[in-house]
Amino acid sequence: MLALIAAVVSLAVLTPLAVAKRRLGEQISSRALQGDGALSGIGAATGFLALAGLVLYDALGWWWADRVAALVIAAIAAAQAWRTAPRGTVIAGALGAVSPPVAAPGPRLPPVGDRE
């Protein structure tokens, strides 16, 4: 029963929140806010598919419905990551093809024992 309540609440709260964040992120050209909106949308989709899995299990005895729902959520998350992230960072960065940026050297501190 608690899982059902959590799924309904997350669906009801996260859906409008995701839409608002994505819309505002596009208006102010904020990729971070667009990504946060995508994350909220994934949470809403998780709530919906959890509800669907629970209903299918209860009504039809489909014990595997929640596993299929998890695969669907993974596909949605991957698609949103691909859409939101700048090109060359999601796949190439995960494979190590993109080298990390080199920071300018900062001031060198003396070893801990030599400080006064």
Side-chain angles (χ1 to χ4, degrees):
M1 184 65 167
L2 185 59
L4 182 66
I5 293 170
V8 169
V9 169
S10 68
L11 182 61
V13 171
L14 291 176
T15 301
L17 185 64
V19 171
K21 285 180 179 180
R22 299 282 308 235
R23 192 174 293 153
L24 182 60
E26 289 174 6
Q27 287 176 355
I28 64 173
S29 299
S30 171
R31 292 186 75 81
L33 193 55
Q34 290 175 11
D36 195 36
L39 187 59
S40 296
I42 291 168
T46 301
F48 172 75
L49 290 175
L51 280 174
L54 287 170
V55 167
L56 289 172
Y57 176 73
D58 191 48
L60 303 174
W62 291 0
W63 56 268
W64 46 267
D66 61 338
R67 283 114 172 126
V68 172
L71 291 173
V72 171
I73 289 296
I76 291 170
Q80 287 300 322
W82 183 261
R83 182 174 171 262
T84 304
R87 294 295 161 240
T89 58
V90 175
I91 300 300
L95 298 176
V98 177
S99 61
V102 177
R108 303 284 312 209
L109 296 175
V112 175
D114 294 342
R115 293 186 189 168
E116 295 178 12

